[in-house]
């Protein structure tokens, strides 16, 4: 199997592109701090999804991915508070991140179920 065979990857990929585009539009003083941090976390999350596809011991990788997702949530909240993104953009990214988080939680749960059998 390859990453594009996983629904979470297909859900995440357009969101990743959306996030990267938004971070490029941050004010200069925030682009290289908050914007870069979000972009790096989003790219690291993508790398962890790919790694999880190609490894047997998925649970620790997926747990790290979950932590990165939570960090992105917080940074987008800060971005909204600082008005780097609009309220509408914040609502969009929050809903999308929550959906990816549910998918990730399901994958973690499925991994736990398989390891206990």
């Amino acid at each position: 199997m390859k990453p594009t065979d996983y629904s979470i990857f297909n859900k995440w990929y357009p969101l990743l592109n959306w996030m990267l585009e938004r971070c490029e539009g941050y004010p200069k003083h925030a682009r290289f701090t908050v914007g870069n941090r979000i972009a790096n976390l989003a790219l690291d999350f993508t790398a962890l999804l790919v790694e999880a596809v190609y490894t047997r011991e998925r649970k620790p990788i997926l747990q790290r991915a979950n932590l990165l997702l939570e960090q992105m949530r917080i940074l987008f909240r800060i971005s909204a508070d600082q008005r780097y993104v609009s309220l509408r953009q914040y609502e969009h990214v929050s809903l999308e991140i929550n959906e990816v988080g549910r998918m990730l939680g399901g994958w973690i749960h499925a991994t736990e179920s398989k390891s206990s059998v």
Side-chain angles (χ1 to χ4, degrees), residues 40-103:
N40 287 332
L41 288 170
L43 292 169
D44 289 347
F45 181 83
T46 306
L48 288 174
L49 289 180
V50 172
E51 186 178 344
V53 168
Y54 291 106
T55 189
R56 286 184 177 270
E57 290 298 319
R58 292 182 172 139
K59 187 177 177 185
I61 296 166
L62 297 175
Q63 288 173 327
R64 282 197 320 263
N66 195 45
L67 178 61
L68 295 184
L69 210 56
E70 189 60 32
Q71 291 171 348
M72 281 183 273
R73 277 188 185 103
I74 292 167
L75 288 172
F76 269 108
R77 183 174 178 183
I78 291 168
S79 296
D81 290 344
Q82 295 296 313
R83 296 192 178 110
Y84 305 149
V85 295
S86 69
L87 182 57
R88 187 175 181 161
Q89 290 170 329
Y90 175 63
E91 289 171 352
H92 168 73
V93 76
S94 294
L95 291 171
E96 294 294 313
I97 287 175
N98 287 343
E99 178 65 23
V100 170
R102 280 191 290 277
M103 295 171 88

Side-chain angles (χ1 to χ4, degrees), residues 6 23 28 61 96 104:
Y6 287 77
C23 290
K28 193 173 188 175
I61 296 166
E96 294 294 313
L104 183 61

Side-chain angles (χ1 to χ4, degrees), residues 4-45:
T4 54
D5 293 335
Y6 287 77
S7 58
I8 189 172
F9 185 85
N10 293 319
K11 177 72 174 175
W12 174 253
Y13 194 78
L15 181 59
L16 168 67
N17 285 313
W18 185 91
M19 288 176 169
L20 295 175
E21 288 173 12
R22 290 307 151 288
C23 290
E24 286 296 315
Y26 278 29
K28 193 173 188 175
H29 69 277
R31 189 176 316 138
F32 301 108
T33 53
V34 179
N36 273 356
R37 178 70 64 93
I38 291 171
N40 287 332
L41 288 170
L43 292 169
D44 289 347
F45 181 83

